[in-house]
Structure formats: C-alpha cells, structure tokens
Amino acid sequence: MSTTTVQTLEMPMSVELVDLNPNVSRDEAEQLRALETDPNADVIMHASLIADSEVPDGGYGWVIVFSGGVIYWWFMGAVYTWGVMQAALVEEKGYQPATLSFVGSMVPALGATLAIPNATLIRKLGARITALAGMFLLGIGSILAGFAVNSIPGLFMTWGLVCGIGASLCFMTTSIIPAQYFKVKRGVANGIVYAGGGLGGTAVSFILNTLIGTVGVSWSFRILGFMILGTGLPAAYFMKERVPIRRAEFVEWKLFKDTKFSLVFAIGVLSTFPLFVPPFFLPLYVKSLGLSSSAGAALVAAFNFCSAIGRLASGIACDKLGSLTTLFLTLVFSSISLMVMWPLSNSLGPLIAFIVINGMANGGFFSTMPTVVGNVFGSARVGVAMGMIFSGWIGGYLMGAPIAGYILEASGGENNGTGAYRPAIFYAGGLTVVATVLAAIVRLRVDRNLKKIV
C-alpha cells in the first residue's frame, strides 16, 4: 500500500492532468511534461497550463460572459457609433470630419495608452471595482459631452478623455477575466462577450439617429449617458475574479524576444489603423451616394450587427480551427473587402455586401485577439501580454481614422463624390494586407501543419 502511495505522489503533474481532467488535451499534457523537465522553461506558461486544467468551463463563468457582454454593449457600441454623432455634428456645427475623427479616435486610443497600468489596477482593486469605475466614467463622459457640443476642446475633454478612460477600464476587465473561467470554450466565451459590442453598436445607432432627429445632438449625448449608467453599472457589479490575479512584471520585455509575440504585436499595430475607418466614414460615404442620414445610421447599425455575428463566429472558429488560423482568416476577408469591395461600391447593393463582409471581419479581429494571447502566451500572463499588445494599438486608434480624414480632404472632401474616398480606402486596405501576410507567417511559425488547431 505504501509503495503505491509513493508512486502516486511522484506521478508527473502532466499525467495526472490528462488522465483526470477532460479539458486537457494530449498535446497540452506533452507540453506540460516538457516544461516540467526543462530547467529553462517558461514558468508562467507552466502555471498557465496548470491553471487552465482547473477552470470550470462554465458555472459562474456564464454570469461573467453576460456581464462582459453588457459592458461591451455600451463601451464598444458607443465607440462604433461615433460616426452617427460625427455626421450630425458636421451637418449642424460645420466641423471638419478629420477633426471630429480625432475626438472619436481618442476613446479607443486612451484604452490602448492605459492598457498596461489598467492591468495592474485590476489586480490591485479587483475586477468589480474597476468595471464599475469604467462604466461610471463612460456614462458621465457622455452626459458632459452633451454640454460641450459647441466646443471642439470640450468634446475632447468630455467624450475623448473621460469616456476614453472609462472605456479603457472596461476593455481590460472584459479581456482578462473570462480567461479565468474558460479553456475549452474560451473562444466562444470571448466571442459572446465581444458580440455584445456589435449588438450594442447596432442598437445604439438606431437610438442615436432617432434621438438626434427628435431632441438634437446635445440631449442625445446626455440620454446615452443615463442609459449607460442605468444598465451598465448593475452589469459591472457581477464582474469578479475566480482566483486572485497573479502578481507580474509591469512590462514583460522578454516577450519581445519571442518572434511569435513580436509578430502578433506588429499585426495589432497595423490592423488598428484601418479598423475604425469604415464605421466612422460610412455615414458620410452614404451621403455621397445621395442617400439620407437615416440610411447612413441604418448602415452603421448593419455594420455593427455584422460585427456582432463576426465576433461570435470567430469565437467558435477559435475553438474549432485555432485562434491563429482564425486571426489570419479575419484579416483575409478584411483585406478583400477594403481593397476590392468598398472601392467598387457605387450603389447601395455593393455597399451592403461590403458592410456584411467587413463588419464580420472587423468584429472577428477583436474577439480573436484575447484568445490568441491566452492560448499562445498563457492565460496566467494574459493581463500583462494583452496590455502590452493593446498598448501597441495607440497609433492606429488615435491616427487611423484621422489620417483617412486628411486623405479624404486632400482628395476633394466628403462632398466630392465616392471617388474622393478611394485613396483613403486604399490606405486602410494596404495596411490590412500587410497585417494579413504577418498573420500567415506567425501561423506557419507555430506549426506548418495546416490541419492542426493552433
């Protein structure tokens, strides 16, 4: 009896995990076994594999998914519908689209700028307090923006700065916490959370278009803020960690020595420049086709709905095809839509086809990235790694849409027909093509077997 007991105690953790936990695949068990015997092994990756073997893949995790989906509904819905507000402000106040694009871009740009310190903040304050603070700032920022519509600096300070800080807290919380509850279903869980942003954008587009037509831009901002506070704060209350977040370095610089991480970082940097060009400029593009502002809002809503479908579909694809393969496919479809479909959209039919494909690919990119980080670099370091990668998106978030706006102005302006938009469209598409090539390289570096789920 004693001999048997000794053998059980000395059994490698990898053998125990694969035999006792169905969430651990044979490949993961072999990877864990290699880490146990390698003196130079990645300690955090080892901890990640053990932690992943203990996740419930459900339970309270579904409450987290619902909470994250509502949070995403408001903060990403607000970001993606800035184009509706922008078109109204251009028409009512005579502001330049490029200038207003800076205001809208400042929200996601601040999210990227504060990603690394926010990851530390979540560890110190907890997910619940961080999410509550984020939703509060997002709602208050929108209300204050309603009093600042006559001032560009005022819009920068309210919508740009206050909402931007709130959105950054919301993003990091919803990006980190679901990984603690899911492994096998991690892609689906992230997909559902991120789909909330697409559905929120769809609903908010219609809501804002109706409000602008009835109460004006100022009260539209205020009412949006009250809705965020009324529903977002209760949802944020349910956000909590399953286990304490591991203390980690503020920035894990050694990750850049890993070619895979450097490539994923570069993909994010390049991909974020084009991401907000379609939703920010669709309302103006629709007007160049001779359609109404209501049609523009409806198409932005359709873009966001397709984004929601893409986020959920990509989450499922991450679990079935692998996260890196899914990332590559989303960028392929995004490249085709930007380089071929949008430039040929001289009527409503082709434009709708572009919106469907680009919206799904655009949303798919967002929901795939956290799964890539968690699966490839370890769930135990997802906070630090995601913060580092997200920080690389600062330039694209802040300058991506405004650069397109300046290119549009140099090409004749928003009232000079659809041809004036093509240089800006090709700028966005060209960067996406480069990102697609890098995604193919990192997929093949991880494993050249295309049938393998990676």
Side-chain angles (χ1 to χ4, degrees):
M1 178 67 71
S2 59
T3 304
T4 303
T5 302
V6 172
Q7 289 175 341
T8 302
L9 291 173
E10 294 179 349
M11 185 181 296
M13 177 66 76
S14 56
V15 176
E16 291 180 358
L17 290 177
V18 75
D19 288 342
L20 301 179
N21 196 320
N23 289 346
V24 181
S25 68
R26 290 284 173 181
D27 287 342
E28 290 170 329
E30 290 299 327
Q31 186 179 3
L32 184 55
R33 186 177 292 112
L35 288 170
E36 289 170 345
T37 57
D38 183 0
N40 298 316
D42 187 336
V43 175
I44 300 179
M45 196 67 190
H46 183 267
S48 298
L49 288 170
I50 295 175
D52 286 348
S53 71
E54 300 170 350
V55 299
D57 252 322
Y60 193 81
W62 294 117
V63 177
I64 296 296
V65 166
F66 174 77
S67 170
V70 175
I71 292 171
Y72 235 89
W73 171 290
W74 287 118
F75 95 81
M76 190 53 73
V79 169
Y80 265 77
T81 53
W82 174 252
V84 177
M85 290 296 205
Q86 176 175 280
L89 289 168
V90 168
E91 184 175 344
E92 291 186 17
K93 307 296 181 182
Y95 297 140
Q96 290 298 315
T99 304
L100 287 175
S101 294
F102 266 115
V103 177
S105 298
M106 190 173 174
V107 177
L110 266 177
T113 304
L114 299 175
I116 293 176
N118 281 346
T120 302
L121 194 65
I122 293 169
R123 180 177 60 79
K124 291 183 176 180
L125 298 182
R128 176 175 293 164
I129 293 177
T130 306
L132 286 169
M135 293 307 299
F136 177 78
L137 290 173
L138 188 65
I140 290 297
S142 184
I143 293 170
L144 293 176
F147 296 97
V149 294
N150 294 316
S151 167
I152 289 290
L155 287 172
F156 268 109
M157 293 301 295
T158 56
W159 185 267
L161 181 61
V162 179
C163 287
I165 295 173
S168 71
L169 294 172
C170 292
F171 177 82
M172 286 306 294
T173 305
T174 51
S175 295
I176 293 173
I177 301 304
Q180 290 194 348
Y181 290 85
F182 295 92
K183 169 53 178 164
V184 175
K185 300 174 183 176
R186 183 175 292 163
V188 172
N190 281 328
I192 295 173
V193 170
Y194 280 68
L199 294 174
T202 304
V204 174
S205 295
F206 285 119
I207 292 170
L208 288 180
N209 186 61
T210 302
L211 288 173
I212 289 169
T214 54
V215 299
V217 177
S218 296
W219 270 105
S220 297
F221 273 118
R222 296 168 196 156
I223 292 172
L224 176 63
F226 286 122
M227 288 191 295
I228 291 172
L229 294 176
T231 59
L233 289 176
Y237 179 80
F238 290 98
M239 187 64 63
K240 69 176 184 178
E241 304 90 335
R242 184 180 66 86
V243 293
I245 296 176
R246 177 184 176 276
R247 181 180 293 274
E249 299 176 52
F250 194 65
V251 177
E252 199 172 336
W253 293 108
K254 66 180 181 181
L255 279 174
F256 283 107
K257 296 179 181 180
D258 184 343
T259 305
K260 299 190 298 295
F261 182 85
S262 296
L263 286 170
V264 171
F265 183 87
I267 290 167
V269 170
L270 293 170
S271 299
T272 47
F273 274 86
L275 278 179
F276 291 107
V277 173
F280 279 21
F281 288 92
L282 270 174
L284 296 174
Y285 188 86
V286 166
K287 285 188 176 181
S288 72
L289 292 177
L291 301 174
S292 66
S293 58
S294 297
L299 289 176
V300 171
F303 179 91
N304 284 305
F305 181 74
C306 293
S307 174
I309 295 174
R311 291 165 196 252
L312 182 57
S314 294
I316 297 171
C318 283
D319 294 335
K320 301 295 183 182
L321 304 176
S323 55
L324 286 175
T325 301
T326 303
L327 178 64
F328 169 71
L329 291 175
T330 63
L331 291 171
V332 167
F333 284 114
S334 185
S335 297
I336 293 172
S337 65
L338 286 168
M339 295 299 288
V340 179
M341 299 178 72
W342 197 2
L344 298 177
S345 298
N346 295 317
S347 61
L348 185 59
L351 185 61
I352 290 175
F354 161 75
I355 287 170
V356 171
I357 300 301
N358 187 262
M360 292 181 66
N362 190 303
F365 170 83
F366 279 111
S367 67
T368 301
M369 264 299 189
T371 309
V372 168
V373 174
N375 288 355
V376 178
F377 306 109
S379 60
R381 61 155 56 95
V382 69
V384 172
M386 194 66 200
M388 292 170 65
I389 287 175
F390 194 41
S391 294
W393 300 1
I394 297 171
Y397 274 171
L398 183 61
M399 296 299 299
I403 288 174
Y406 288 126
I407 294 174
L408 174 61
E409 286 182 16
S411 303
E414 69 273 11
N415 298 317
N416 203 33
T418 58
Y421 288 82
R422 285 183 187 143
I425 292 170
F426 287 129
Y427 138 76
L431 290 174
T432 307
V433 169
V434 177
T436 305
V437 173
L438 295 181
I441 293 172
V442 71
R443 167 61 182 84
L444 294 174
R445 281 190 68 91
V446 171
D447 199 306
R448 291 184 177 274
N449 182 0
L450 298 181
K451 294 181 179 180
K452 190 171 183 180
I453 298 177
V454 294

